[in-house]
């Protein structure tokens, strides 16, 4: 009724304008309401889509984790197959556990490579490599992963007070003490691996080894001994053997030491190591007494020593040392080319 009365009072043009305004307002309300409903629907649809994508992402992560595990297992299997094909384990043959301390230097990879190629020719070898480092380095980690040998990779840092300065002679302070002890600890902790017997040998990465030396030490009952070439500023050092028994030591430096021989000149039955858990090396003993300290801790005497290498008349291991590399031309290359060697290339 009010509209009718209003129409009678208004001119047709004004009424038409008013109707248009009302229609527009109603249309706007309807559009806004529709848009609001659409936004709600879109929001719900978006949330649903995000949830779907989130599930798919999680599935992809799970699948990626599974594939990563499969790849790692496959790599391990291939590595073991390569190990078995190049360094097969023969049942009943005692395992030789070789403890090798190592430290970062330009020649490190070259010397580890040379040693690994020798060990790959020997059956039933387990190589325990211990880095003198706070962390395991990428270089040694990658090297061991691809060396084709059964190995254990450890690390322990030598305190600076026990390290040689660059100008110190190599005999001034003992080297590899904590690393060898870490290897001994691993053997004792994992005694289940050695319960079937075996032999321990301390093989430095800068020595040279005849394959025969591993045959000589393989069936050590307690402690086997032999000469070492190019050591002690002599052609060789050796146990003195009379009537198939060790009676003394052919060496210049303190031949009165209990066991006056080089680290490369003896091997020990694993059971003896397990039976004497306190036998170890020490940074506090005087020069040249590391070997004597360790072997004395095994509670053995000269009578217990087993002379090998044709009763200590053959040289089957040499205490060689690689010449320290000089890189003095790197600075000249920088002047000539604007840069030196690419440090991302592993040497």
């Amino acid at each position: 009724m009010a509209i009718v009365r209003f129409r009678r009072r208004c001119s047709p043009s004004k009424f038409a304008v008013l109707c248009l305004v009302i229609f527009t307002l109603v249309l706007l309300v309807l559009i806004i309401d529709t848009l609001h409903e659409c936004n709600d629907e879109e929001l719900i649809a978006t949330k649903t889509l995000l949830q779907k994508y989130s599930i798919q992402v999680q599935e992809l992560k799970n699948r990626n984790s599974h594939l990563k595990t499969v790849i790692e297992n496959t790599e391990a299997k291939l590595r073991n197959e390569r190990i078995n094909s190049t360094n097969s384990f023969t049942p009943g043959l005692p395992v030789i556990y070789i403890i090798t301390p190592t430290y970062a230097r330009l020649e490190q990879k070259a010397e580890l490579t040379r040693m690994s190629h020798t060990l790959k020719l020997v059956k039933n070898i387990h190589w325990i490599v211990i880095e003198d480092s706070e962390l395991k380095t990428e270089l040694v980690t990658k090297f061991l992963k691809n060396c084709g040998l059964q190995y254990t990779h450890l690390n322990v840092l030598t305190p600076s007070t026990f390290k040689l300065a660059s100008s110190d002679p190599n005999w001034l302070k003992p080297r590899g003490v904590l690393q060898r002890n870490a290897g001994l600890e691993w053997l004792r902790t994992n005694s289940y691996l050695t319960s079937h017997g075996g032999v321990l040998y301390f093989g430095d990465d800068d020595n040279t080894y005849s394959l025969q030396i591993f045959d000589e030490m393989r069936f050590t009952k307690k402690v086997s001994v032999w000469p070492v070439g190019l050591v002690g500023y002599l052609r060789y050092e050796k146990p003195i053997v009379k009537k198939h028994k060790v009676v003394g030591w052919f060496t210049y430096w303190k031949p009165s030491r209990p066991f006056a021989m080089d680290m490369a000149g003896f091997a020990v039955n694993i059971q003896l190591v397990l039976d004497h858990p306190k036998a170890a090396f020490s940074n506090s003993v005087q020069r040249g007494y590391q070997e004597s300290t360790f072997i004395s801790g095994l509670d053995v005497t000269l009578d217990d020593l087993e002379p090998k290498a044709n009763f200590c008349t053959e040289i089957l291991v040499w205490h060689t040392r690689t010449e320290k590399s000089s890189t003095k031309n790197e600075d000249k290359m920088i002047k000539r080319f604007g840069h030196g060697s690419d440090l991302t290339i592993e040497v």
Side-chain angles (χ1 to χ4, degrees):
M1 294 296 294
I3 294 175
V4 173
R5 287 195 299 270
F6 181 75
R7 181 180 179 184
R8 288 176 181 173
R9 294 176 183 176
C10 290
S11 63
S13 59
K14 287 183 179 181
F15 184 76
V17 170
L18 180 61
C19 288
L20 181 61
V21 170
I22 293 173
F23 176 78
T24 302
L25 290 173
V26 171
L27 183 62
L28 286 173
V29 170
L30 291 173
I31 291 172
I32 291 172
D33 187 60
T34 302
L35 288 174
H36 184 263
E37 291 179 359
C38 288
N39 287 338
D40 286 343
E41 291 176 357
E42 289 178 355
L43 182 60
I44 293 172
T46 301
K47 287 182 177 179
T48 303
L49 192 61
L50 287 174
Q51 290 176 349
K52 181 180 178 181
Y53 285 159
S54 179
I55 293 172
Q56 290 178 344
V57 168
Q58 188 59 47
E59 289 177 350
L60 288 173
K61 286 182 178 180
N62 294 338
R63 188 179 301 173
N64 182 60
S65 178
H66 174 70
L67 288 174
K68 185 178 179 181
T69 301
V70 170
I71 291 171
E72 289 176 349
N73 291 339
T74 302
E75 288 179 343
K77 183 178 179 181
L78 290 173
R79 186 163 62 249
N80 288 333
E81 288 178 353
R82 184 169 67 250
I83 290 171
N84 290 333
S85 64
T86 59
N87 188 252
S88 59
F89 271 59
T90 301
L93 192 65
V95 176
I96 300 176
Y97 295 88
I98 300 179
I99 289 180
T100 300
T102 188
Y103 65 98
R105 60 198 187 279
L106 276 175
E107 304 81 17
Q108 182 182 32
K109 186 178 179 181
E111 294 190 321
L112 287 173
T113 298
R114 181 177 59 228
M115 185 171 182
S116 71
H117 288 178
T118 297
L119 297 183
K120 281 197 288 188
L121 299 174
V122 184
K123 291 183 180 295
N124 294 29
I125 287 288
H126 188 116
W127 198 14
I128 306 171
V129 179
I130 310 97
E131 291 193 73
D132 188 348
S133 174
E134 187 175 3
L135 300 171
K136 295 175 183 176
T137 64
E138 183 180 2
L139 185 149
V140 176
T141 299
K142 289 195 304 182
F143 170 79
L144 290 175
K145 185 177 180 180
N146 296 290
C147 73
L149 290 162
Q150 291 276 13
Y151 70 87
T152 293
H153 185 191
L154 305 172
N155 67 287
V156 58
L157 180 66
T158 300
S160 58
T161 52
F162 295 113
K163 283 193 173 183
L164 289 169
S166 58
S167 58
D168 290 338
N170 56 25
W171 48 260
L172 186 61
K173 294 180 180 180
R175 293 175 296 167
V177 171
L178 298 185
Q179 291 70 41
R180 293 187 182 97
N181 284 344
L184 291 170
E185 182 181 358
W186 184 90
L187 285 170
R188 288 162 176 152
T189 302
N190 296 275
S191 58
Y192 67 95
L193 294 174
T194 60
S195 59
H196 298 295
V199 177
L200 166 63
Y201 181 55
F202 298 100
D204 290 348
D205 57 7
D206 58 352
N207 290 345
T208 302
Y209 305 93
S210 164
L211 296 180
Q212 185 182 337
I213 195 63
F214 301 103
D215 293 331
E216 297 280 337
M217 72 175 72
R218 179 81 66 179
F219 295 95
T220 297
K221 295 181 179 66
K222 285 190 175 181
V223 178
S224 55
V225 296
W226 50 79
V228 177
L230 310 178
V231 65
Y233 298 100
L234 298 170
R235 294 178 66 244
Y236 58 82
E237 290 182 341
K238 65 183 289 293
I240 298 173
V241 179
K242 291 183 179 180
K243 297 182 179 180
H244 299 176
K245 288 288 186 179
V246 176
V247 297
W249 310 99
F250 179 80
T251 180
Y252 177 79
W253 174 256
K254 292 190 176 182
S256 61
R257 286 174 288 162
F259 300 96
M261 54 184 167
D262 186 79
M263 194 71 69
F266 68 94
V268 180
N269 188 289
I270 284 291
Q271 192 57 50
L272 201 61
V273 176
L274 300 181
D275 290 343
H276 296 80
K278 293 185 178 180
F281 300 95
S282 172
N283 275 315
S284 62
V285 301
Q286 59 180 305
R287 170 189 167 194
Y289 276 78
Q290 290 296 333
E291 297 83 355
S292 293
T293 298
F294 174 69
I295 298 176
S296 296
L298 299 174
D299 195 24
V300 297
T301 66
L302 289 185
D303 285 339
D304 295 314
L305 301 183
E306 306 156 45
K308 301 292 184 178
N310 195 19
F311 297 105
C312 297
T313 61
E314 297 177 0
I315 310 299
L316 301 175
V317 56
W318 297 263
H319 204 290
T320 49
R321 291 189 180 92
T322 302
E323 180 181 356
K324 188 174 181 180
S325 303
S326 172
T327 57
K328 64 181 182 180
N329 283 339
E330 289 287 342
D331 291 339
K332 298 176 182 178
M333 295 295 282
I334 294 174
K335 292 179 180 178
R336 181 179 297 179
F337 294 102
H339 62 82
S341 298
D342 185 350
L343 297 181
T344 63
I345 296 177
E346 190 176 271
V347 177

